[in-house]
Amino acid sequence: MGRGRLRIYLGAAPGVGKTYAMLNEGKRRAERGTDAVAAFVETHGRAHTAAQIEGLEVVPRKAMTHRGAEFTEMDVDAVLRRRPAVALVDELAHTNVPGSRNAKRWQDIDELLDAGIDVISNLNIQHLESLGDAVEGITGVRQQETVPDEVVRRADQIELVDMAPEALRRRLAHGNVYAPEKIDAALAHYFRPGNLTALRELALLWVADRVDEYLQRYRAENHIASTWQARERIVVGLTGGPEGRTLIRRAARIAAKGSGSEILAVYVAKSDGLTSASPKELTVQRGLVEDLGGSFHHVLGDNAAEALLEFARGVNATQIVLGSSRRKPWQWIFGPGVGATVAREAGDIDVHIVTHEHVARGRIRPIRRIASLGLPRTVAGWLVGVAGPLLLTWVLVLLPSSSTTHTEMLLYLGLTVGAALLGGLFPALASAVVGSLLINWYFTPPLHTLTIGSIANVIAVGVFFGVALSVAYVVDLAARRTAEAARSRAEAETLSFLAGSVLSGRNGLPALLERVQETFQMESVALLERPDDFSTWRLAGAVGPDPVSRPEDADVDVPVGDRLALALSGRVLPAADRRVLVAFAAQAAVLLEKRRLETEAAEARRMAEGNRIRTALLAAVSHDLRTPLAGIKASVSSLRAEDVAWTPDDEAELLAGIEAGADRLDHLIGNLLDMSRLQTGTVVPIVRETDLDEVVPLALLGVPEDAVRTDIPEELPMVSADPGLLERALGNVIENAVKYNAGSRKQVNGVPCQVGVSASVLHGRVEVRVADHGPGIPDEAKEKVFEPFQRYGDAPRGAGVGLGLAVARGFVEATGGTLTAEDTPGGGLTMVFTLPCAQVAHESSEASDGATGTDPEVSSEAGSETDLETGPRIAVEAVSAEPLPLEQQTERQQRS
């Protein structure tokens, strides 16, 4: 059975009708006789959507328990057993409950497709991985749930569900999208007209790109070469000269006049070795193109005009931008130039010739191959060397015989020198031989024979031949030395720029491999390594399509030791190019080793940190935990002693000591466990709307009632936090502040100042400040106090293991907040909790698919398109600290 087909309904924002369209398609297929079932559909409380499910078979969901809460997910096994022809699966980007067989719903869908089941699903544009930064820049909300673009691109059909921003806002206002209590907030924040318009444009452009891919594939399969002007696509022809920046900016201005225009910068390089342009200049131009939203391409071709036109037709370009020729006026005798040729051969592609400051200042002489001066020059040299003497002889024979033999020899010598300049040594040799024979036949008595009657003429012809050969050799040698020097200069510039950019740390291995691909004009470059001689090769890095997996499959391979090889595919390189390639290969090995050493160093740091934590834990257990245990044991032994009669007061005191020791043990063990979980990354918060009026009283249960003064305004907005973690963090900080505030000398009316707990709103976030009036700490120690196992000043070891503040900061940061220390005015220390307002977090939930009208803690059960746990997290799976059970809260209240 073949793989199933995937159809995706793509929308710009929640509420445009993706689920409705998916269900409508499912019902249409069911009415047509197709076996279609609703494998997982979430209506979000929308009546019109729920009505579409009627008449469809619904596969029961799978119930799951996570941290004591019940959730439901799609039952993949049930769908596979049912094996329908078509399965309707809502919310492609959904994150499954921890413990599910797959982490993401798109992975569940992939299993159904592998089983031959067609799937219809839906997705919002903000859930595409590549658009995360763009969506965050528009809405201010970072999407927590994303789908790799490749997953969506593999879909057999993508259909855009579009709706104008005004229409979507009307739907929202009428209650067709969210619950009534969420409408005002949604309209004022995420569903602003500007946000919706920008998201709609993103969706339209992304779908247009996919349509363009299908169009290019269709044109290639049907061998269509003519331009279809479905979209403005502007090709910029670059020579590697400084005028390229002007052309790129001009093309950007042209593209800006039409929405959706695309810029493609193209550099045409010779196919016989290193590029003739400066690698540094090409890098600058590449960066400029990418900054302007375009793409940079290298094309191989000895004929620049033909290669440029072939590329333009291949990408269905509508316009070509070229610069005015840099050739000087006399250089036009060598041909019409690239610009004139492209304009003549472009056909239905518009060609723009842009002037610049380098016009007619002379062309940059390209680097020629040492082994060849190029086909055009070689042909010209042979024409001058062979046809030139024949033509000169014809002219001299027709003219009146007034010149001497020496004059004719000088004329033939000039042709020989010209042949050497153009075509090198062999055309010059041919010119010398042909010229000598013609001089002997037509101008040396006796005429029209190869016999030379005068010894002087024999010497003259011999001297001519020798001078011609010598001049030809010297001219050819000078031309080749010039080409060799130019090539060496290019190699040196390439290597120096490489050494300055890559090895300085500004770029890594991918940048180096990309440089190799560009420099040698290869299709793909792969760095292969293997652990030993008997193992298979594996890719350590690659650029380009279809990199080889073995050195023997490459067109060019350069071994680096016995375990590493640089493999290039595209063409065979001449031996002269391997000198530079060997240097690239050696530097690739250095970068690979550097990357490996950085990984090992990071692992060593992690292990060292773990060892430090373990050592500190052992030290804490050896002292701080044994002290309360010793006190408890002593008190229990005293109470059990039969030879001592304890008074009720003595028994109460001993019992109080036991209780205090147990509380201290509970506190120490709790902090140790919390710190261990933070260090290992196993704390996952359950973020929801939280009222500080509910959390702060719980955090005060462990301190005397008269030690803290609170100021929490009633109009304070809800915060986005895990109530349990926030209560623990506040409790640790408040207990720490009370301890250091006990010795405060600052008094009001003879009474020591209390610890102050206050809250306020600042720039969309809530600040909770815990201020004491103790001794305070210097600025250089304000960050150190948050490190594990740190006690400030002369705090005794029995005062704790130094974990309270470290745990508090870890819990706060796990929920997207911050915890910092600053001075209290008048002396002391103030701990500042900065927490996101629930309204901002609510926007994040809406951005994923919007309010479900349910408790965010059970968002998976409600079918929300947001992450299971909204907001930052430390790890994927763990158990979070929950609020204390009611009986423990009562016990703490009684103790306080």
Side-chain angles (χ1 to χ4, degrees):
M1 181 179 294
R3 181 177 170 87
R5 297 175 60 83
L6 175 61
R7 178 171 182 171
I8 297 176
Y9 287 96
L10 180 69
V16 296
K18 306 180 301 299
T19 304
Y20 187 94
M22 178 189 73
L23 293 171
N24 193 27
E25 174 66 15
K27 291 186 67 174
R28 185 184 67 82
R29 295 196 185 189
E31 292 170 355
R32 199 174 54 193
T34 303
D35 182 15
V37 301
F40 187 96
V41 177
E42 182 55 61
T43 65
H44 301 295
R46 299 164 189 167
H48 296 292
T49 303
Q52 289 295 308
I53 304 180
E54 297 179 2
L56 285 172
E57 178 185 348
V58 179
V59 178
R61 300 184 182 184
K62 182 178 181 179
M64 301 186 66
T65 302
H66 179 61
R67 294 205 302 255
E70 292 292 330
F71 302 90
T72 59
E73 292 288 0
M74 181 175 67
D75 193 337
V76 180
D77 291 325
V79 179
L80 292 175
R81 287 193 301 268
R82 173 62 176 77
R83 194 171 290 279
V86 178
L88 309 180
V89 184
D90 210 358
E91 300 174 0
L92 182 67
H94 174 75
T95 298
N96 292 331
V97 174
S100 302
R101 63 191 294 167
N102 293 309
K104 294 287 189 176
R105 184 163 292 161
W106 64 263
Q107 296 170 323
D108 295 337
I109 291 175
D110 212 39
E111 287 194 35
L112 301 182
L113 295 172
D114 288 338
I117 301 173
D118 293 346
V119 177
I120 304 177
S121 187
N122 54 56
L123 181 73
N124 279 332
I125 191 67
Q126 64 263 32
H127 294 300
L128 286 170
E129 180 68 40
S130 65
L131 299 179
D133 294 337
V135 173
E136 184 178 12
I138 294 169
T139 65
V141 178
R142 184 69 184 187
Q143 297 302 313
Q144 301 299 327
E145 287 186 327
T146 57
V147 177
D149 287 42
E150 184 59 29
V151 173
V152 184
R153 286 194 179 100
R154 289 200 303 262
D156 299 278
Q157 186 175 350
I158 301 174
E159 183 171 335
L160 180 66
V161 181
D162 189 32
M163 181 176 290
E166 294 77 10
L168 181 55
R169 284 172 59 85
R170 282 197 300 271
R171 285 201 66 208
L172 186 65
H174 293 160
N176 295 327
V177 180
Y178 293 154
E181 64 272 12
K182 300 179 181 294
I183 294 176
D184 291 339
L187 288 172
H189 295 92
Y190 188 81
F191 284 81
R192 292 192 296 268
N195 286 2
L196 296 177
T197 301
L199 291 174
R200 187 187 188 197
E201 183 180 23
L202 276 181
L204 291 169
L205 290 176
W206 196 88
V207 173
D209 287 336
R210 304 291 75 74
V211 173
D212 191 63
E213 289 179 4
Y214 300 146
L215 177 61
Q216 295 299 335
R217 190 182 308 131
Y218 176 82
R219 283 165 48 85
E221 292 173 353
N222 292 274
H223 307 289
I224 300 174
S226 61
T227 301
W228 289 4
Q229 298 189 9
R231 179 180 181 182
E232 288 294 335
R233 190 170 279 108
I234 305 168
V235 171
V236 185
L238 302 177
T239 64
E243 79 281 356
R245 307 180 200 180
T246 302
L247 303 184
I248 293 169
R249 295 188 182 99
R250 178 58 176 158
R253 292 196 297 272
I254 295 175
K257 296 179 180 179
S259 179
S261 299
E262 184 179 358
I263 303 174
L264 301 94
V266 181
Y267 171 70
V268 180
K270 295 289 183 180
S271 60
D272 58 352
L274 291 170
T275 60
S276 60
S278 166
K280 184 175 181 179
E281 180 62 32
L282 286 177
T283 300
V284 172
Q285 294 180 14
R286 171 192 286 273
L288 179 59
V289 170
E290 293 174 351
D291 290 342
L292 294 174
S295 57
F296 190 91
H297 304 267
H298 273 276
V299 174
L300 293 176
D302 291 319
N303 189 311
E306 290 181 3
L308 184 62
L309 286 171
E310 183 179 354
F311 175 85
R313 295 190 180 103
V315 299
N316 199 28
T318 57
Q319 302 182 59
I320 298 177
V321 176
L322 298 172
S324 297
S325 177
R326 296 196 308 268
R327 295 195 294 179
K328 293 182 179 180
W330 63 268
Q331 292 178 314
W332 287 98
I333 62 175
F334 297 108
V338 174
T341 304
V342 170
R344 183 180 67 248
E345 304 290 341
D348 52 359
I349 304 177
D350 297 336
V351 179
H352 303 265
I353 304 297
V354 179
T355 60
H356 50 85
E357 58 181 347
H358 303 281
V359 173
R361 292 192 177 183
R363 298 170 57 186
I364 298 176
R365 185 181 181 84
I367 300 172
R368 298 296 182 185
R369 305 293 299 155
I370 297 175
S372 173
L373 296 176
L375 181 62
R377 283 187 59 173
T378 302
V379 172
W382 281 102
L383 288 175
V384 172
V386 177
L390 297 175
L391 181 62
L392 177 61
T393 301
W394 180 70
V395 173
L396 292 177
V397 169
L398 293 180
L399 292 176
S401 179
S402 58
S403 59
T404 65
T405 303
H406 302 294
T407 303
E408 282 89 5
M409 288 184 179
L410 290 176
L411 293 174
Y412 283 102
L413 182 62
L415 289 176
T416 301
V417 173
L421 289 172
L422 290 173
L425 180 61
F426 293 104
L429 290 176
S431 178
V433 171
V434 173
S436 299
L437 294 175
L438 291 175
I439 289 173
N440 186 11
W441 185 271
Y442 286 102
F443 304 108
T444 303
L447 303 178
H448 307 301
T449 67
L450 296 178
T451 303
I452 302 177
S454 170
I455 190 65
N457 289 335
V458 172
I459 296 174
V461 172
V463 171
F464 163 77
F465 188 76
V467 171
L469 289 181
S470 301
V471 170
Y473 176 76
V474 171
V475 171
D476 176 73
L477 183 63
R480 294 181 184 278
R481 289 290 182 267
T482 301
E484 185 177 5
R487 179 183 179 81
S488 298
R489 184 171 60 252
E491 292 178 357
E493 184 178 3
T494 300
L495 293 177
S496 64
F497 180 73
L498 179 68
S501 60
V502 177
L503 297 184
S504 63
R506 292 193 297 270
N507 296 300
L509 183 61
L512 175 65
L513 298 181
E514 185 176 353
R515 176 70 62 191
V516 174
Q517 182 188 27
E518 294 176 357
T519 301
F520 296 96
Q521 300 302 302
M522 288 293 182
E523 294 178 1
S524 65
V525 178
L527 184 63
L528 305 173
E529 66 172 347
R530 58 181 178 179
D532 54 63
D533 294 336
F534 305 100
S535 302
T536 58
W537 293 93
R538 69 177 184 85
L539 279 177
V543 294
D546 301 323
V548 297
S549 57
R550 300 185 306 169
E552 51 266 30
D553 297 335
D555 294 314
V556 181
D557 71 283
V558 178
V560 186
D562 298 330
R563 306 286 186 266
L564 206 63
L566 188 64
L568 291 76
S569 299
R571 62 189 178 90
V572 178
L573 288 180
D577 286 346
R578 295 183 68 89
R579 293 179 302 176
V580 178
L581 188 58
V582 168
F584 273 101
Q587 293 182 0
V590 171
L591 285 178
L592 183 62
E593 183 64 20
K594 177 183 176 184
R595 186 173 69 180
R596 183 177 292 110
L597 290 175
E598 289 175 347
T599 303
E600 293 176 355
E603 179 66 16
R605 286 193 297 269
R606 188 190 66 79
M607 295 179 63
E609 178 65 17
N611 289 333
R612 189 181 72 85
I613 294 296
R614 284 190 289 271
T615 301
L617 284 172
L618 289 175
V621 170
S622 66
H623 183 280
D624 294 281
L625 296 183
R626 292 177 64 183
T627 300
L629 279 174
I632 293 173
K633 182 174 177 56
S635 298
V636 171
S637 298
S638 299
L639 287 173
R640 296 184 63 183
E642 298 179 354
D643 56 344
V644 179
W646 300 102
T647 65
D649 292 339
D650 292 336
E651 290 182 354
E653 184 177 352
L654 290 172
L655 290 173
I658 293 173
E659 184 177 22
D663 289 341
R664 182 177 170 189
L665 275 178
D666 178 68
H667 180 75
L668 291 176
I669 292 174
N671 278 340
L672 287 172
L673 292 177
D674 289 339
M675 195 67 243
S676 175
R677 290 164 55 201
L678 286 171
Q679 291 292 334
T680 56
T682 54
V683 175
V684 178
I686 301 179
V687 179
R688 62 184 182 186
E689 293 183 357
T690 303
D691 191 346
L692 287 177
D693 282 336
E694 299 176 358
V695 175
V696 173
L698 294 176
L700 297 176
L701 293 180
V703 299
E705 294 183 359
D706 58 350
V708 180
R709 171 183 48 83
T710 61
D711 181 16
I712 309 296
E714 293 183 359
E715 65 275 10
L716 196 71
M718 307 276 277
V719 298
S720 177
D722 183 310
L725 297 184
L726 181 58
E727 183 264 326
R728 295 283 296 278
L730 279 171
N732 280 352
V733 171
I734 292 173
E735 289 179 9
N736 193 69
V738 170
K739 177 173 64 177
Y740 285 99
N741 192 69
S744 172
R745 296 181 180 179
K746 186 174 181 180
Q747 299 181 348
V748 177
N749 298 325
V751 178
C753 290
Q754 298 172 304
V755 171
V757 180
S758 60
S760 60
V761 181
L762 181 65
H763 301 306
R765 298 177 74 86
V766 173
E767 282 192 352
V768 180
R769 310 176 75 87
V770 180
D772 67 61
H773 301 280
I777 58 176
D779 292 339
E780 59 271 15
K782 283 187 171 61
E783 281 300 311
K784 191 174 182 180
V785 296
F786 292 105
E787 298 178 4
F789 307 104
Q790 297 292 327
R791 298 184 184 87
Y792 177 68
D794 57 353
R797 293 193 59 84
V801 292
L803 287 175
L805 294 181
V807 170
R809 171 173 276 192
F811 283 170
V812 173
E813 291 180 348
T815 59
T818 61
L819 176 59
T820 57
E822 62 182 44
D823 293 328
T824 301
L829 185 68
T830 298
M831 293 292 178
V832 183
F833 293 78
T834 304
L835 307 171
C837 290
Q839 194 173 31
V840 176
H842 181 62
E843 285 189 40
S844 177
S845 176
E846 291 174 345
S848 295
D849 180 41
T852 62
T854 63
D855 190 344
E857 183 175 354
V858 291
S859 59
S860 177
E861 182 176 9
S864 170
E865 292 180 29
T866 62
D867 276 346
L868 180 64
E869 290 93 18
T870 307
R873 82 275 319 269
I874 294 178
V876 175
E877 177 65 60
V879 178
S880 172
E882 301 287 353
L884 290 176
L886 181 59
E887 60 270 24
Q888 294 186 26
Q889 296 180 18
T890 304
E891 291 176 3
R892 286 189 62 177
Q893 182 65 50
Q894 291 173 350
R895 289 200 304 269
S896 63

